[in-house]
Amino acid sequence: MLERIKASLPSLAPAEQRVGKLVLADPRAFANLPVTELADRSHVSKPTVVRFCRSMGYDGLSDFKLKLAGSVSEGVPFIHRSVDVDDKTSDIAVKVIDNTVAAFLKYRNDASSFALEHAAQALAATQKTNRRIEFYGVGNSGIVAQDAQHKFFRLGVNAIAYSDGHMQVMSASMLKPGDCAVIISNSGRTRDLMDACDIAKRQGATTIVITASGSPLASAGHIHLTADHPEGYDKYSPMVSRLLHLLIIDILATTVALRIGEELQPNLRDMKNNLRSKRYT
């Protein structure tokens, strides 16, 4: 919708162009503001705002705002809303949140339920046989690996996280059939992670890779959980890929917890009580 508005701007009257530029500059505000304020912000009359909406093929302002609100909710148009040096803090907050929500919603729409189910089954089977689950990642993905270890450790799963390349390769060399290695990388091009994945696979362990589609790592493991969100390195951009990876780990951990079932509850209660008793009052 926003791309169509942008492409249509040159053919519009100057007053309607100002309305279109306001939509492109802040779609969320346009979808929620009354016509009077929209006209004031665009420096046009209220009928001009309505004419713009009709020139875009909508019945009027209400219909246009309804469709625009739907686009804002879906989030897809905001994935590449870049931060500008002139942005106020409030603008930056909206853009960072929009980028994150957009990535999550895009993942919700694109995620393969089959791949997630396959990965959850593999992790649950590893937990049931008390075998090892290892998480590998470097940089920001290393933080995700540590978070994954924490989540699965709470489930009573024998989980380990490594962010050092040499440790990953050495540990992968000691994996056995029935073990599971989860390799996390946004680019999927890190040599140590590729090596660790290959070694774990040759050792007979199940390998689950969380990476972008088309990356070298994507085809290296047994199960690929696609996480597509390119980071912009030329300007500041929020680390949405890390949040996306954390979301996928949350889905897997929650699914495994449900598979474990009632037997997990006493362990969680004991952990919570023991941690609470350690705190200072």
Side-chain angles (χ1 to χ4, degrees), residues 21 37 48 89 116 124-125 135 159 198-199 220 222 239 242 255 261 269:
K21 289 176 181 178
E37 187 167 350
T48 300
T89 302
L116 284 168
F135 297 93
D198 180 61
I199 293 169
H222 293 106
M239 296 304 299
R242 184 176 72 188
T255 306
R269 277 197 300 270

Side-chain angles (χ1 to χ4, degrees), residues 8 24 32-33 59 70 80 83 86 111 116 124 131 134 161 173 183 192 198 203 219 235 243 247-248 251 253 256 271:
S8 302
L24 296 173
N32 291 289
L33 292 176
D59 293 337
H80 300 297
V83 176
D86 296 323
L116 284 168
R131 300 296 303 175
E134 299 195 345
S173 302
I183 302 96
D192 287 337
D198 180 61
Q203 291 293 110
S219 58
K235 296 180 180 179
L243 296 176
L247 174 71
I248 295 171
I251 293 170
V256 172
M271 284 183 188

Side-chain angles (χ1 to χ4, degrees), residues 19-94:
V19 180
K21 289 176 181 178
L22 179 64
V23 178
L24 296 173
D26 197 347
R28 187 181 297 275
F30 195 99
N32 291 289
L33 292 176
V35 66
T36 301
E37 187 167 350
L38 293 174
D40 289 344
R41 289 194 181 193
S42 303
H43 306 292
V44 299
S45 66
K46 289 188 285 188
T48 300
V49 176
V50 177
R51 281 200 304 273
F52 164 79
C53 296
R54 288 177 176 161
S55 68
M56 290 292 102
Y58 298 92
D59 293 337
L61 179 60
S62 297
D63 184 41
F64 180 84
K65 289 173 69 173
L66 182 64
K67 299 299 192 301
L68 183 62
S71 293
V72 171
S73 296
E74 283 300 316
V76 176
F78 303 104
I79 289 179
H80 300 297
R81 290 186 73 187
S82 59
V83 176
D84 189 83
V85 292
D86 296 323
D87 283 342
K88 299 176 182 177
T89 302
S90 58
D91 298 325
I92 294 171
V94 169

